[in-house]
């Protein structure tokens, strides 16, 4: 009997049905192998061979026939290999059909489909070969914040979305952060996290602490929440109305020790991550991780093959404490030099102050295998005296392992065509919903509902970094113009009070929303025409990226990641069509801020087509994590090429 055979020439992935290894068909039957072969990426190579087939007079038909038949009878008994497709048109199987049942056109089509299926298969084999040559890593993010579980700013956004992007690229990814419980409704974010049986003992602060671990597997990522009483109190992850918590050094020391234990002891999905990990420590809160790898684990032969990267989101916060607290870290003796920090004479409190301290971020910069910061511009700025906050010389000395990678954004959460927080969805192809968002926002804020009046927004922490003082001092001048301004933020009390005060004076034009409210931040991003960001320094900045995606034009200080991501508007470029996605100004003064805002407002009012061009270019800009994720992979590869830091 003649057969159609499918012979795997190499390995077959575990999910593949083996029915096709040598299939014989003597009648009409569904084979269904094509979809399996095409979909399973673990299949490396297949060949499909018709051991015997007869071609018709044009040589166009793939035929199976009954070997017992005579030549004349064969024509009647010929069976054609027909295809079966799903609703999308993809081939999901084949059927042997009597020749007489099909027209000649159908036969030609069948042949074409078989040929296409073979092409697709070849393509798939190529892709699977590529995939199999790409290195994947066990990545352990260590962070004080990860949205949606915890977020006070951009760190939470990045550590909530970059891990998912890395997992989608085939890496095994764990995120370790504290399980903050503050007694409010927000505690329910941990509802799906299950307590693991494993508990770990941690030696630090002159005693033994026991921590538990909660686990949720979501979006391909193992989210690990470290459980300890010190994470359970009212307030934000870092403080409350009285200021920063006094025991933050203790709380984040615990986090770092627990994060180092997690890959060794937690059986996630049945297997622990093991020692060959890539630790991605974020900001000073996680800065003790590379120190512990070098000082506590490697000398005992553990984590010899691991590597660590410190990611700097904001160098202004370094985790500096008195030198006497060194013994609290649980770092073996002999490593004081790594953490040692001596304030310059001008920064000391009095003439007899030796200025001695410990600095966690500094220690991380010294002991990590690589250093990443969140934009290229900022990676240079932190090597300068103005931008390095005292660490510029150290960073310059390590510039060969320092890389700037511009943040991406979570394009699912920040997507105007699917955003559930905004009253009307819209897209670059139909902007009408944006005007509805503006009107709804004006109503919500109690401002006069005026579609023609430019609505300017600000979102961010109210502190020195964000240039909030410059913006607030410009408000009285700005209020002479026909504009509306809404500010959303929380932070230093003096700025919160200043916002409330301005709202009382400019009732018809100004709103100051004091607080931290994610849905409101989405509505402001969608409803405003312009977003103002006068940051003194901005390592990357996310709000300008969100704004551009929502067709809201950013006006920003020309610094750090703002300079890297906002392209200044040039109305004469592209043969008068215009180019750019916003306005940048420098140096940072009230006058420059006002001038840039007034240029934007004038363009909004007088040059509608230019404005629309600005909106569309911003909305079409690729801010996804894809580019950044590739760059992170490159840094991972470099980290593993060099030997680990050994002290
Ligand atoms: N009152 C409020 N209500 C609701 N949401 C609010 C809010 N105030 C701020 N947010 C949100 O918090 C995030 C702030 O992100 P940014 O990147 O602008 O600043 P941040 O200084 O926190 O982050 C640091 O880390 C990030 C990540 O690397 C860098 O981009 C940045 O430059 C660096 O300073 C945004 O998602 C914003 O919408």
């Amino acid at each position: 009997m003649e057969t159609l055979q499918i012979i795997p020439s190499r390995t077959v992935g575990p999910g593949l049905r083996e029915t096709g290894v040598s299939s014989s068909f003597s009648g009409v039957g569904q084979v269904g192998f094509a979809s399996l072969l095409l979909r399973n990426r673990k299949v490396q190579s297949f060949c499909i061979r018709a051991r015997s087939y007869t071609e018709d007079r044009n040589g166009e038909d793939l035929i199976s026939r009954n070997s017992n038949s005579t030549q004349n009878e064969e024509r009647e008994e010929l069976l054609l290999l027909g295809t079966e497709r799903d609703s999308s048109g993809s081939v999901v199987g084949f059927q042997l059909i009597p020749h007489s049942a099909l027209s000649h056109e159908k036969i030609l089509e069948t042949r074409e489909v078989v040929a296409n299926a073979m092409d697709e298969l070849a393509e798939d084999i190529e892709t699977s070969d590529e995939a199999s040559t790409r290195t994947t890593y066990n990545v352990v993010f260590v962070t004080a914040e990860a949205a949606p579980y915890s977020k006070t700013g951009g760190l939470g956004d990045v550590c909530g979305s970059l891990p998912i992007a890395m997992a989608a690229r085939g890496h095994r990814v764990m995120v370790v952060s504290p399980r903050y419980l503050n007694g409010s409704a927000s505690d329910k974010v941990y509802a799906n996290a299950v307590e693991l049986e494993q508990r770990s003992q941690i030696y630090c602060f002159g005693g033994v602490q026991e921590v538990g671990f909660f686990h949720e597997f979501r979006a391909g990522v193992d989210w690990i929440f470290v459980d300890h009483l010190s994470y359970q109190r009212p307030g934000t992850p870092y403080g409350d109305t009285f200021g920063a918590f006094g025991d933050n050094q203790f709380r984040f020391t615990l986090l770092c020790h627990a994060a180092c234990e997690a890959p060794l002891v937690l059986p996630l999905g049945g297997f622990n991550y093991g020692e060959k990990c890539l630790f991605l420590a974020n900001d000073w809160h996680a800065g003790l991780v590379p120190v512990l790898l070098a000082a506590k684990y490697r000398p005992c032969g553990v984590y010899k093959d691991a590597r660590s990267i410190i990611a700097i989101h904001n160098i202004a916060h370094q985790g500096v404490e008195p030198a006497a607290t060194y013994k609290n870290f649980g770092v073996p003796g002999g490593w004081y030099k790594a953490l040692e920090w001596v304030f310059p004479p001008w920064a000391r409190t009095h003439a007899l102050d030796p200025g001695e301290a410990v600095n966690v971020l500094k220690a991380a910069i010294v002991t990590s295998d690589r250093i990443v910061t969140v934009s290229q511009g900022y990676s240079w700025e932190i090597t300068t005296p103005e931008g390095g906050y005292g660490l510029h010389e150290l960073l310059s000395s390590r510039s060969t392992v320092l890389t700037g990678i511009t943040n991406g954004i979570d394009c699912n959460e920040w997507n105007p065509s699917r955003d559930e927080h905004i009253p009307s969805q819209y897209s670059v192809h139909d902007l009408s919903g944006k005007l509805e968002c503006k009107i709804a926002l004006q109503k919500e804020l109690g401002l006069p509902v005026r579609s023609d009046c430019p609505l300017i927004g600000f979102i961010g922490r109210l502190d020195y970094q964000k240039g909030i003082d410059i913006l607030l001092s410009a408000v009285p001048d700005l209020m002479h113009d026909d504009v509306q301004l809404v500010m959303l933020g929380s932070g230093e009390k003096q700025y919160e009070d200043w916002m409330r005060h301005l709202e009382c004076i400019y009732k018809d034009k100004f709103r100051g929303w004091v607080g931290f409210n994610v849905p409101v931040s989405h509505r402001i991003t969608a409803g405003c025409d312009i977003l103002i960001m006068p940051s003194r320094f901005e390592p990357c900045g996310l709000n300008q990226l969100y704004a551009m995606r929502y067709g809201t034009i950013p006006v920003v200080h020309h610094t750090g990641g703002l300079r890297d991501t906002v392209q200044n508007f040039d109305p004469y470029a592209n043969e008068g069509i215009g180019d750019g996605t916003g306005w940048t100004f420098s140096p940072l003064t009230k006058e420059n801020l006002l001038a840039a805002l007034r240029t934007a407002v004038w363009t909004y009012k007088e040059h509608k087509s230019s404005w629309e061009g600005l909106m569309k270019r911003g909305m079409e800009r690729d801010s996804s994590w894809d580019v950044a994720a590739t760059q992170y992979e490159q840094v991972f590869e470099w980290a593993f090429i060099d030997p680990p830091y050994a002290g």
Side-chain angles (χ1 to χ4, degrees):
M1 189 165 94
E2 294 167 358
T3 58
L4 177 71
Q5 275 200 336
I6 306 154
I7 303 163
S9 66
R10 277 197 262 156
T11 52
V12 179
L16 186 72
R17 274 201 340 231
E18 301 260 357
T19 52
V21 170
S22 180
S23 309
S24 296
F25 313 115
S26 56
V28 175
Q30 186 175 333
V31 182
F33 61 85
S35 70
L36 283 167
L37 299 189
L38 294 175
R39 281 181 198 158
N40 194 311
R41 294 196 165 264
K42 291 198 176 140
V43 177
Q44 294 190 345
S45 172
F46 280 87
C47 66
I48 298 176
R49 190 171 78 207
R51 187 184 281 169
S52 170
Y53 64 90
T54 304
E55 292 183 343
D56 75 1
R57 59 192 175 279
N58 297 320
E60 286 171 342
D61 302 337
L62 180 59
I63 300 168
S64 173
R65 63 183 180 179
N66 187 328
S67 61
N68 294 332
S69 308
T70 65
Q71 196 65 30
N72 283 342
E73 285 164 344
E74 273 175 18
R75 175 56 61 192
E76 283 160 22
E77 291 176 3
L78 290 177
L79 296 173
L80 298 178
L81 187 61
T83 58
E84 198 175 290
R85 304 183 196 202
D86 66 12
S87 55
S88 68
S90 303
V91 179
V92 294
F94 293 93
Q95 277 191 337
L96 294 173
I97 314 163
H99 179 268
S100 53
L102 288 179
S103 65
H104 186 65
E105 286 72 28
K106 201 76 188 164
I107 292 165
L108 289 178
E109 192 200 320
T110 303
R111 185 174 184 272
E112 197 183 309
V113 168
V114 171
N116 287 344
M118 294 295 286
D119 285 351
E120 260 184 70
L121 178 58
E123 251 175 48
D124 203 60
I125 289 162
E126 253 172 46
T127 331
S128 78
D129 278 350
E130 257 174 41
S132 64
T133 55
R134 211 178 66 210
T135 313
T136 58
Y137 300 94
N138 286 355
V139 188
V140 182
F141 283 76
V142 187
T143 175
E145 299 178 34
Y149 308 100
S150 50
K151 166 175 162 175
T152 69
L155 175 63
D157 283 349
V158 170
C159 291
S161 54
L162 174 58
I164 295 174
M166 298 307 293
R169 297 172 69 82
H171 305 287
R172 193 175 182 206
V173 183
M174 177 197 303
V175 179
V176 186
S177 66
R179 181 170 175 263
Y180 302 109
L181 298 178
N182 63 17
S184 76
S186 66
D187 292 351
K188 68 175 184 302
V189 289
Y190 300 106
N192 295 328
V194 177
E195 182 163 15
L196 300 173
E197 281 181 9
Q198 183 67 42
R199 295 184 74 79
S200 285
Q201 309 239 306
I202 286 165
Y203 297 83
C204 65
F205 279 74
V208 184
Q209 301 291 330
E210 193 173 277
V211 296
F213 297 94
F214 282 68
H215 173 235
E216 179 181 353
F217 184 73
R218 181 180 60 81
V221 174
D222 289 304
W223 304 90
I224 298 295
F225 305 107
V226 180
D227 188 40
H228 188 271
L229 267 180
S230 65
Y231 303 133
Q232 300 173 14
R233 60 179 68 152
T236 74
Y238 311 113
D240 57 18
T241 46
F242 300 106
F245 295 133
D247 59 350
N248 277 345
Q249 188 192 35
F250 168 72
R251 297 163 80 232
F252 295 118
T253 295
L254 269 189
L255 171 69
C256 294
H257 278 273
C260 289
E261 288 295 301
L264 303 176
V265 301
L266 299 183
L268 304 172
F271 303 92
N272 63 18
Y273 274 52
E275 292 186 34
K276 194 171 179 187
C277 287
L278 188 289
F279 285 90
L280 192 53
N282 292 273
D283 275 351
W284 80 263
H285 322 103
L288 213 54
V289 167
V291 184
L292 291 172
L293 295 183
K296 178 179 163 187
Y297 290 93
R298 274 191 204 118
C300 303
V302 182
Y303 281 135
K304 275 188 174 146
D305 291 328
R307 297 291 187 279
S308 62
I309 296 173
I310 177 74
I312 302 174
H313 298 262
N314 192 335
I315 205 165
H317 304 285
Q318 300 178 0
V320 179
E321 298 281 350
T325 63
Y326 169 73
K327 61 182 185 315
N328 294 340
F329 288 122
V331 172
W335 284 82
Y336 177 72
K337 278 280 168 201
L339 282 135
E340 181 186 35
W341 179 247
V342 182
F343 281 105
W346 60 263
R348 300 179 193 171
T349 49
H350 52 80
L352 298 178
D353 179 1
E356 288 169 5
V358 284
N359 181 327
V360 177
L361 186 63
K362 177 244 164 178
I365 292 169
V366 170
T367 55
S368 302
D369 298 305
R370 312 264 335 169
I371 304 158
V372 165
T373 185
V374 290
S375 70
Q376 284 190 358
Y378 195 60
S379 73
W380 170 77
E381 281 176 17
I382 57 177
T383 62
T384 66
E386 295 78 18
Y389 278 72
L391 296 175
H392 54 284
E393 283 177 4
L394 174 62
L395 283 162
S396 299
S397 74
R398 300 218 69 201
S399 61
T400 51
V401 293
L402 169 63
T403 309
I405 302 178
T406 304
N407 285 331
I409 61 172
D410 182 339
C411 292
N412 288 325
E413 193 201 338
W414 292 91
N415 181 350
S417 63
R418 287 207 300 263
D419 192 331
E420 289 170 1
H421 299 304
I422 63 176
S424 263
Q425 284 72 34
Y426 59 94
S427 70
V428 69
H429 308 295
D430 178 8
L431 290 166
S432 55
K434 182 157 176 71
L435 185 59
E436 290 167 28
C437 288
K438 176 176 178 176
I439 289 167
L441 182 63
Q442 287 171 327
K443 280 186 188 155
E444 180 179 2
L445 297 172
L447 287 168
V449 176
R450 285 186 49 205
S451 61
D452 63 319
C453 180
L455 180 52
I456 304 167
F458 169 91
I459 302 166
R461 279 182 291 111
L462 304 179
D463 73 13
Y464 179 80
Q465 178 197 345
K466 301 294 176 185
I468 189 76
D469 49 326
I470 305 279
L471 176 57
L472 290 173
S473 68
V475 169
D477 283 326
L478 189 63
M479 293 294 100
H480 288 128
D481 301 351
D482 183 26
V483 298
Q484 296 173 341
L485 172 63
V486 52
M487 294 178 62
L488 168 67
S490 57
E492 289 183 33
K493 187 168 179 313
Q494 51 165 331
Y495 299 131
E496 294 184 353
D497 291 343
W498 197 349
M499 271 165 54
R500 292 190 183 104
H501 174 68
L502 288 171
E503 186 173 306
C504 292
I505 300 175
Y506 305 104
K507 284 195 176 61
D508 284 349
K509 290 188 165 184
F510 181 88
R511 286 292 174 275
W513 190 311
V514 176
F516 192 92
N517 190 318
V518 172
V520 173
S521 74
H522 281 245
R523 293 204 289 277
I524 291 178
T525 305
C528 284
D529 301 300
I530 296 166
L531 185 90
I532 177 75
M533 288 184 75
S535 308
R536 276 201 170 72
F537 66 94
E538 196 59 84
C540 176
L542 297 174
N543 285 317
Q544 82 281 8
L545 302 178
Y546 301 148
M548 286 188 275
R549 194 156 161 76
Y550 280 65
T552 303
I553 311 304
V555 176
V556 302
H557 177 212
H558 190 72
T559 183
L562 298 177
R563 177 176 44 204
D564 289 3
T565 54
V566 178
Q567 192 191 351
N568 212 23
F569 176 55
D570 176 0
Y572 305 109
N574 279 341
E575 297 174 351
I577 294 171
D579 201 4
T581 53
W583 281 271
T584 62
F585 61 91
S586 182
L588 177 64
T589 60
K590 181 179 102 174
E591 291 71 27
N592 287 339
L593 180 151
L594 282 169
L597 271 182
R598 284 175 174 150
T599 307
V601 164
W602 173 71
T603 310
Y604 171 84
K605 289 189 169 172
E606 306 296 333
H607 298 278
K608 296 287 179 203
S609 64
S610 293
W611 193 261
E612 200 173 310
L614 274 158
M615 289 170 78
K616 288 189 169 165
R617 283 191 294 277
M619 293 178 88
E620 281 166 350
R621 185 182 185 280
D622 180 8
S623 296
S624 69
W625 273 111
D626 287 345
V627 180
T630 317
Q631 292 170 344
Y632 270 98
E633 281 167 351
Q634 177 65 79
V635 175
F636 294 175
E637 196 183 322
W638 288 334
F640 278 99
I641 288 172
D642 296 329
Y645 178 85

